[in-house]
Amino acid sequence: MILSMIMLLIGSFLHAQSKNFSKKTFAELAELIDSQEVNSSLQIEYLNAYLNKAKQEKNHSELVEAYRKKLFRAPESQQLIYADSIYNIAIKSKDNKLISIAYQTYGTIYFIQKNYKVSVENSLKAEEYIIKTNDLYTLHKIRYSIADVKYYLGSFEEALKIYEDCATYYDNKDDINNLLGYINSIRSISKCYYQLGDYQQASQYNILGLESCQKIKIPTIQNEEELYFRQSEGIVQYSLKNHEQSISLLEGSLDGIKKNKDLTNEHLTYLFLGKNFWDLNQREKALEYFESIDALYQKKKITNLDLRQAYVFLIEYYKDKKDLEKQLYYTNTLIQIDSLLREDYRYLNNYLHTEYDNKNLFQNKLDLEKQIESNKLRSYYLYLIGCIIILGIGITTVIYYRKQRLYRKKYEALLHPAQKMEALSASKLTTENDTDEQTIPFPKNVDIHEDIVQQILVKLKEFESDKEFLKPNITQSQLAEQWKTNTSYLSKIINTQKNKNFNQYVNDLRIDYGLELLKNDLVIRSYKVTAIATELGFTNTRSFTNAFIARTGLKPSYFIEQLNKDRDI
């Protein structure tokens, strides 16, 4: 109850506050936005208030700023939508500064999306418009973004000069924007010195940056800026071989970076944590960090020149373990990454006229491809052979078990006929018994005199009941002569009444009789197949086996084997 009242009071307070948003200045709203957790419900409310205020006042400048604030807190899929809104507002205003900001916003988005060609095009366009004004602050923001591209390209000395120029401009100015511009320039200068191998200078600029962060009056921004200086110093301390200090700084910054969902810096931290533990000979722990980098690459395709180092360690690790499959996997991935990086540099060279020596990288790629191709070919053949063997075994096994199931079903059907079939047989038996006293119905579909048909049907019944079909070498001609008729009549009546020819008729009678013998006579069941064939009137084993399969779908040996198994159970 008390909790409900508290929540109601909080809701009422927030509602009352929202009514007063229009009375707040843009600066006050901006401060409220920056003071909240990223994408929290309250921050979103402040952002919307900022945007609505700008729309109501038809303030193009603040409207652009409102969309920029929303843009850089929005999912990547929505950022270009906000950027288009900024561009349309800027063009409508005919304000060179706003048009420059619009182009620079595009440049930033495309840089994040790794579309460097379009990013540079927009940054240069932004510079073209801002030069028409006296807005040095925005001009330096644009040049700072170009320096970022040069840094990514690997032109660290060129980038350093621009960053130093930006730091000089932003220094000793009181407002938060210039202070943040100065702090970011200091951090970028430190990174350039690190890349140029001057670790002491890099460390000194990190210390200067941390001192400058103390001037920030907004705790959330101060904490975030300090976070990245600690990460930067952790990287420097790794290069100075101060591993414990490096690990402490990197681990201390990791949670905050992850909270910001800054995937690139999260995995840069993984890289140097991994390198620290590798140097400390804790390779299993290092491996976890390197594999985390690969997981991100596979999911998001995020990579750069630093992150590719992880694959060198992964390849070496699995080379020592003699795990060719893993080594091949990470080698192939490294080649993919190098291909992407070369593509990025190719576009950048066209627009910034910087140079990057790809010769060694390309040669390494060729060497890797040769080695991989050799291993791949061998692995492919082994894999192919293995697949064929496994497939063959699999198919054979499936066919075998399917056949066994089918055979068993057929066996069960022979051993335990359905009740319906038993009833049908009983009915048929009754009918047959009745024929001893009654005349067998005349088959209308036989074009033979009725008396002759009746005589032959009676003879066939006697033939079956007296088991004359067990006599070897019995022929249709012999029976026709014995029954004083001709073979044509006999053949036609068997075909129409039994639905089979003479040989099939005799063989089926023999097999049916043999099935009953085998089910009930253990002595017969112990005979060899040749002896059983002779017992049933067949002249050779092959003809008996063929007739048995034709009648039952099973081999006689299988049927006998199953009978014996069932007896033993």
Side-chain angles (χ1 to χ4, degrees):
M1 182 66 179
I2 295 173
L3 181 61
S4 298
M5 290 178 67
I6 291 172
M7 294 302 295
L8 183 61
L9 288 171
I10 291 173
S12 300
F13 173 76
L14 292 176
H15 181 69
Q17 285 291 95
S18 66
K19 291 180 179 179
N20 295 324
F21 284 160
S22 61
K23 297 179 183 180
K24 293 186 179 296
T25 65
F26 288 110
E28 288 172 336
L29 286 171
E31 188 172 344
L32 287 171
I33 291 167
D34 292 335
S35 66
Q36 300 303 313
E37 292 286 338
V38 176
N39 288 327
S40 65
S41 59
L42 203 52
Q43 186 184 69
I44 292 169
E45 192 172 356
Y46 291 144
L47 281 166
N48 289 333
Y50 195 114
L51 179 61
N52 290 333
K53 180 179 174 65
K55 285 181 178 179
Q56 288 170 5
E57 296 180 8
K58 296 182 180 179
N59 187 327
H60 291 138
S61 179
E62 293 298 348
L63 198 52
V64 164
E65 183 60 23
Y67 278 120
R68 279 175 59 82
K69 287 181 182 298
K70 290 180 76 70
L71 183 154
F72 290 112
R73 292 170 173 84
E76 187 176 308
S77 59
Q78 297 178 16
Q79 289 178 349
L80 279 176
I81 297 173
Y82 286 119
D84 289 339
S85 297
I86 291 169
Y87 178 80
N88 291 332
I89 293 165
I91 294 298
K92 186 177 179 180
S93 72
K94 298 180 181 179
D95 185 322
N96 286 330
K97 177 181 176 180
L98 295 184
I99 295 172
S100 174
I101 290 172
Y103 278 116
Q104 186 52 38
T105 303
Y106 280 128
T108 302
I109 292 171
Y110 285 116
F111 180 80
I112 293 169
Q113 294 180 358
K114 301 177 74 67
N115 191 339
Y116 301 109
K117 175 183 176 181
V118 179
S119 174
V120 174
E121 286 175 342
N122 280 279
S123 293
L124 294 176
K125 198 76 176 175
E127 187 177 33
E128 176 187 326
Y129 275 92
I130 202 63
I131 287 173
K132 298 175 183 179
T133 72
N134 291 321
D135 188 345
L136 296 177
Y137 172 79
T138 306
L139 176 62
H140 283 86
K141 281 183 67 176
I142 294 167
R143 287 180 176 170
Y144 183 95
S145 69
I146 293 175
D148 281 342
V149 179
K150 286 179 175 287
Y151 177 88
Y152 181 86
L153 175 65
S155 297
F156 304 117
E157 290 182 353
E158 292 181 41
L160 177 60
K161 290 177 183 177
I162 300 175
Y163 289 137
E164 287 176 336
D165 178 61
C166 289
T168 300
Y169 170 77
Y170 292 128
D171 193 15
N172 295 322
K173 292 182 174 62
D174 296 331
D175 63 284
I176 183 66
N177 289 330
N178 279 287
L179 177 57
L180 290 176
Y182 175 74
I183 288 171
N184 288 330
S185 298
I186 293 298
R187 184 164 56 248
S188 295
I189 290 169
S190 171
K191 288 165 64 178
C192 285
Y193 276 119
Y194 173 82
Q195 295 292 352
L196 292 168
D198 192 339
Y199 305 130
Q200 294 297 339
Q201 276 282 65
S203 182
Q204 297 219 354
Y205 273 97
N206 283 331
I207 294 169
L208 177 59
L210 285 168
E211 291 173 353
S212 301
C213 287
Q214 299 303 310
K215 299 176 184 178
I216 301 173
K217 302 304 181 185
I218 303 172
T220 53
I221 297 178
Q222 180 185 347
N223 292 337
E224 185 167 317
E225 295 299 331
E226 288 177 346
L227 189 74
Y228 288 100
F229 276 111
R230 284 198 295 273
Q231 181 211 36
S232 179
E233 185 61 15
I235 293 170
V236 171
Q237 291 302 318
Y238 163 78
S239 299
L240 292 171
K241 305 301 180 185
N242 298 322
H243 297 298
E244 297 300 332
Q245 185 179 354
S246 174
I247 290 170
S248 176
L249 286 164
L250 291 168
E251 288 181 339
S253 65
L254 183 57
D255 286 343
I257 291 171
K258 289 170 72 174
K259 188 176 180 181
N260 289 342
K261 297 182 179 179
D262 183 349
L263 298 178
T264 298
N265 276 297
E266 177 185 341
H267 287 77
L268 188 63
T269 305
Y270 288 154
L271 173 67
F272 281 93
L273 281 169
K275 290 170 75 172
N276 271 297
F277 285 114
W278 186 275
D279 288 357
L280 293 171
N281 206 29
Q282 298 180 37
R283 298 200 167 184
E284 297 299 327
K285 194 163 186 178
L287 186 70
E288 294 176 17
Y289 290 113
F290 295 143
E291 287 181 336
S292 294
I293 292 169
D294 178 64
L296 177 70
Y297 170 73
Q298 299 301 337
K299 187 175 181 180
K300 297 288 188 179
K301 299 302 178 192
I302 292 178
T303 188
N304 58 40
L305 283 173
D306 290 319
L307 295 182
R308 75 177 295 281
Q309 296 175 50
Y311 290 90
V312 177
F313 288 105
L314 286 165
I315 291 167
E316 183 178 342
Y317 176 86
Y318 286 109
K319 186 176 181 180
D320 290 342
K321 294 288 184 181
K322 302 188 185 310
D323 188 334
L324 293 178
E325 185 176 344
K326 287 281 189 180
Q327 189 183 344
L328 181 60
Y329 166 78
Y330 287 116
T331 302
N332 279 329
T333 306
L334 179 56
I335 289 173
Q336 292 174 12
I337 290 170
D338 286 350
S339 178
L340 291 173
L341 291 173
R342 281 197 302 278
E343 187 71 11
D344 293 342
Y345 289 130
R346 181 173 66 82
Y347 283 129
L348 291 169
N349 285 334
N350 290 339
Y351 283 84
L352 294 178
H353 309 292
T354 50
E355 294 179 358
Y356 184 80
D357 184 7
N358 282 318
K359 291 181 180 178
N360 292 333
L361 188 62
F362 183 71
Q363 186 58 50
N364 289 339
K365 176 182 180 297
L366 291 177
D367 293 341
L368 283 170
E369 285 177 340
K370 288 178 183 177
Q371 182 182 350
I372 289 169
E373 195 58 36
S374 175
N375 293 339
K376 196 174 182 181
L377 194 59
R378 185 165 59 253
S379 299
Y380 173 76
Y381 284 126
L382 290 173
Y383 176 76
L384 185 61
I385 291 169
C387 284
I388 292 171
I389 292 171
I390 292 170
L391 186 62
I393 292 171
I395 292 172
T396 303
T397 303
V398 169
I399 292 172
Y400 172 78
Y401 281 107
R402 282 185 177 177
K403 281 185 177 180
Q404 290 302 309
R405 284 197 297 271
L406 180 62
Y407 291 160
R408 185 67 192 181
K409 284 181 180 179
K410 290 180 178 180
Y411 168 76
E412 293 287 347
L414 291 171
L415 199 62
H416 306 293
Q419 294 297 322
K420 185 175 179 181
M421 293 302 295
E422 290 176 358
L424 183 63
S425 297
S427 173
K428 183 177 179 183
L429 182 61
T430 302
T431 304
E432 289 172 351
N433 290 336
D434 290 344
T435 57
D436 290 337
E437 299 175 0
Q438 299 176 6
T439 305
I440 299 171
F442 176 69
K444 296 179 180 180
N445 58 341
V446 180
D447 187 20
I448 306 173
H449 193 276
E450 180 180 356
D451 291 342
I452 297 173
V453 172
Q454 289 293 340
Q455 290 174 10
I456 293 176
L457 286 175
V458 170
K459 291 293 183 183
L460 285 173
K461 183 172 179 56
E462 292 172 355
F463 177 76
E464 293 175 11
S465 61
D466 294 342
K467 299 182 178 54
E468 292 185 43
F469 52 79
L470 295 177
K471 294 177 182 179
N473 298 316
I474 190 167
T475 66
Q476 187 169 254
S477 299
Q478 288 174 345
L479 286 182
E481 184 179 348
Q482 182 181 330
W483 295 345
K484 300 188 184 313
T485 185
N486 62 59
T487 56
S488 176
Y489 287 173
L490 179 59
S491 175
K492 185 177 288 188
I493 292 171
I494 290 173
N495 285 338
T496 56
Q497 300 308 299
K498 306 297 181 180
N499 293 319
K500 56 189 78 173
N501 63 35
F502 179 78
N503 286 335
Q504 289 174 324
Y505 169 63
V506 172
N507 285 343
D508 286 351
L509 288 171
R510 289 170 174 172
I511 297 302
D512 290 345
Y513 178 74
L515 288 171
E516 293 304 314
L517 274 181
L518 290 169
K519 287 183 200 176
N520 302 308
D521 193 331
L522 293 177
V523 176
I524 291 292
R525 199 186 301 171
S526 66
Y527 287 3
K528 291 184 178 180
V529 174
T530 303
I532 296 172
T534 302
E535 188 75 17
L536 297 177
F538 290 97
T539 56
N540 58 67
T541 305
R542 177 178 291 180
S543 61
F544 165 60
T545 300
N546 290 341
F548 197 97
I549 293 171
R551 185 64 169 164
T552 67
L554 303 173
K555 290 182 179 181
S557 57
Y558 175 86
F559 184 75
I560 295 168
E561 180 185 349
Q562 295 303 309
L563 286 172
N564 290 330
K565 281 183 180 179
D566 289 349
R567 176 174 173 269
D568 293 338
I569 292 175

